[in-house]
Amino acid sequence: MSHASMDAFALDAFIESIDCTTVADGVHHCTAFSGVTAFETEAGLVLVDTGLRAVAGEIARMLREKTDAPIHTAIYTHGHMDHAFGLEAYLKDDQEPPTVIGHEAIEDRFDRYELTAGHNDSINSRQFGGTAEDDGQQPGFGWPAQPPTTTYEDALTVEVGELTFELQHGRGETDDHTWLYCPERDVVCSGDFVITVAPNAGNPQKVQRYPTEWAEELRKILAVEPGTLCPGHGEPIVDDPDAIATQLRTGAEYLDTIVDRTIELLNDGAPPHVDIVTEIELPEPDEPWLQEVYDTGEFIVRNVIRRYGGWWSGRPSELKPAPRGDLAAEIVRLAGGVDRVLDRVETLTAEDELRRACHLADFALEATPNNEQVRTVVVDVYERRAERADDLMSKNIYASAGAYASEGRRFR
Ligand SMILES: [Zn+2]
């Protein structure tokens, strides 16, 4: 997420919402968008994740009200910016440099962030509803200031003071994920295997997610039967193994159902991707922790299709397509002019047929990008679509589409 979009993403609200709870003897969990867990040991603190860099200082201040011990070890559950980029804020001036642990794939992630910094800036701007800066000079996140000093492959057991930390690698939201169990405190830190809303296993703009392995990992956490769970996002579940088990089990079932149904359709003639996502029957879970308010099942289907197939959509004309501007001009010509297209967009919008309305709106804009009236209608339809969307991914991408159109800029 760029600095520009971070501002738009209500940092103040995160800071106001910071909550630090003691979840077990000497174990404190703080949430401000993402979770940070601190374990007190005789040797110093073990910190699991660090929060967004912009709010880490405030989290550290609250944590310091509970304990003044130096950071002995930091563990990154994965390399996302809301987990692995805030460690400096917790370090004491006079302390020894901490041991920093992550899965070995975290290093490739940071390299990739450097390689595609401009791209990441644009897609993160869209993911949070904004537009990328024209100069393309927004800082992309490459390596954190405190990179891992120790990496591991499959599993790693670390002893710090009187506590043991059993780290397990698994793939889920990312390929570099770690979750851990501390047996002496009966606490699991799940990383983003648990985010207290429907899993972010479909994110439309990001690299491959792993819903199958995600479900497997949830079952491995379940097998540990932890008493307390500190999630990557959301409130901790304290001293309630049954509630934890239910959440883990239903989460795994949700993912398995989507994956199984998608593969079934792929195996039945490999239809065009859009036919799969519009025809598949998706689960509609009632559980509060599976609400599709961030990501959504339709996007998880897309991730499964991508994983087992190629980039081609399955529609013959899209194998080697005409430039979109040319195609849009043909559609507008067939309609009898752009005014006719706009009329239809407005009718469909009024009827809340927004999927169709947006296709026509795109054609109108692509055929006549500098037409003020077209831009106004396009902004309206995408603002309406953003308003109607339940999941934040869609809501913000639609808001971003509206913002680009109102600035008269190509959606890029
Ligand atoms: Zn996260």
Side-chain angles (χ1 to χ4, degrees):
M1 162 177 6
S2 71
H3 286 167
S5 55
M6 279 295 301
D7 291 344
F9 203 40
L11 283 177
D12 289 350
F14 291 150
I15 288 173
E16 272 169 36
S17 74
I18 296 178
D19 191 22
C20 275
T21 332
T22 299
V23 297
D25 184 19
V27 184
H28 316 290
H29 179 79
C30 307
T31 48
F33 179 63
S34 50
V36 176
T37 313
F39 293 78
E40 294 184 41
T41 81
E42 288 159 1
L45 291 177
V46 173
L47 197 65
V48 181
D49 285 339
T50 61
L52 285 163
R53 186 165 59 185
V55 297
E58 199 56 28
I59 301 173
R61 196 187 59 72
M62 291 189 73
L63 182 62
R64 290 302 177 199
E65 290 174 9
K66 306 221 180 232
T67 165
D68 202 32
I71 306 293
H72 180 283
T73 295
I75 298 165
Y76 298 152
T77 61
H78 59 298
H80 277 168
M81 59 174 295
D82 48 332
H83 298 263
F85 286 77
L87 179 55
E88 305 92 279
Y90 303 83
L91 301 180
K92 297 176 73 83
D93 290 342
D94 54 351
Q95 75 155 82
E96 295 281 305
T99 300
V100 182
I101 306 174
H103 179 257
E104 61 184 9
I106 208 169
E107 299 184 326
D108 287 345
R109 168 174 304 278
F110 298 142
D111 281 344
R112 176 165 60 79
Y113 288 168
E114 265 175 7
L115 181 71
T116 61
H119 173 66
N120 281 14
D121 183 40
S122 299
I123 62 181
N124 281 324
S125 297
R126 284 186 208 144
Q127 182 166 327
F128 295 99
T131 60
E133 300 300 320
D134 274 332
D135 62 11
Q137 294 302 309
Q138 286 289 317
F141 280 82
W143 281 70
Q146 303 279 339
T149 55
T150 302
T151 60
Y152 74 99
E153 192 180 344
D154 293 321
L156 180 72
T157 297
V158 183
E159 285 175 12
V160 182
E162 71 281 33
L163 297 188
T164 315
F165 298 89
E166 298 167 359
L167 280 64
Q168 287 286 332
H169 165 60
R171 295 194 296 182
E173 188 193 47
T174 64
D175 59 1
D176 62 345
H177 242 85
T178 294
W179 62 272
L180 66 85
Y181 180 56
C182 173
E184 294 87 354
R185 297 290 176 263
D186 197 18
V187 171
V188 157
C189 294
S190 65
D192 282 2
F193 286 113
V194 178
I195 59 172
T196 329
V197 295
N200 179 214
N203 192 321
Q205 300 190 99
K206 299 293 174 69
V207 298
Q208 188 67 49
R209 266 71 167 124
Y210 303 91
T212 305
E213 292 87 339
W214 193 325
E216 281 167 14
E217 224 57 37
L218 291 174
R219 280 187 286 266
K220 285 187 202 163
I221 301 173
L222 185 60
V224 169
E225 299 180 359
T228 291
L229 183 144
C230 295
H233 300 261
E235 297 301 314
I237 309 177
V238 182
D239 255 338
D240 194 345
D242 291 344
I244 294 171
T246 304
Q247 197 167 133
L248 296 170
R249 183 177 45 73
T250 51
E253 285 166 3
Y254 169 86
L255 288 166
D256 283 343
T257 302
I258 295 174
V259 172
D260 291 350
R261 288 180 189 171
T262 307
I263 291 177
E264 197 181 321
L265 288 170
L266 281 171
N267 280 333
D268 185 20
H273 302 175
V274 69
D275 296 352
I276 295 179
V277 293
T278 53
E279 286 167 19
I280 195 167
E281 195 191 324
L282 289 167
E284 291 177 14
D286 292 326
E287 292 85 351
W289 57 87
L290 287 176
Q291 293 308 296
E292 296 178 344
V293 293
Y294 187 48
D295 206 338
T296 182
E298 179 172 336
F299 296 158
I300 300 176
V301 173
R302 292 277 192 175
N303 243 294
V304 176
I305 296 171
R306 171 175 63 176
R307 181 169 190 182
Y308 296 113
W311 53 261
W312 177 42
S313 67
R315 186 139 269 100
S317 58
E318 288 171 359
L319 184 62
K320 290 186 168 177
R324 277 287 294 202
D326 293 354
L327 175 60
E330 292 294 342
I331 300 286
V332 168
R333 188 175 306 133
L334 274 175
V338 79
D339 292 343
R340 304 278 294 269
V341 179
L342 293 186
D343 280 350
R344 188 64 189 148
V345 171
E346 286 175 322
T347 303
L348 289 169
T349 305
E351 291 168 359
D352 256 339
E353 293 291 348
L354 297 176
R355 288 195 183 228
R356 276 183 283 158
C358 285
H359 283 292
L360 297 187
D362 282 356
F363 283 133
L365 187 65
E366 286 160 6
T368 51
N370 300 316
N371 179 319
E372 277 293 327
Q373 199 197 346
V374 169
R375 280 166 44 193
T376 306
V377 172
V378 171
V379 171
D380 281 352
V381 66
Y382 276 108
E383 282 180 354
R384 170 78 70 99
R385 190 129 191 220
E387 211 177 274
R388 289 282 194 276
D390 294 321
D391 62 290
L392 202 70
M393 295 287 159
S394 309
K395 194 182 267 303
N396 286 343
I397 287 175
Y398 294 138
S400 178
Y404 275 94
S406 75
E407 288 174 16
R409 290 170 52 196
R410 190 175 154 199
F411 192 43
R412 54 172 298 192

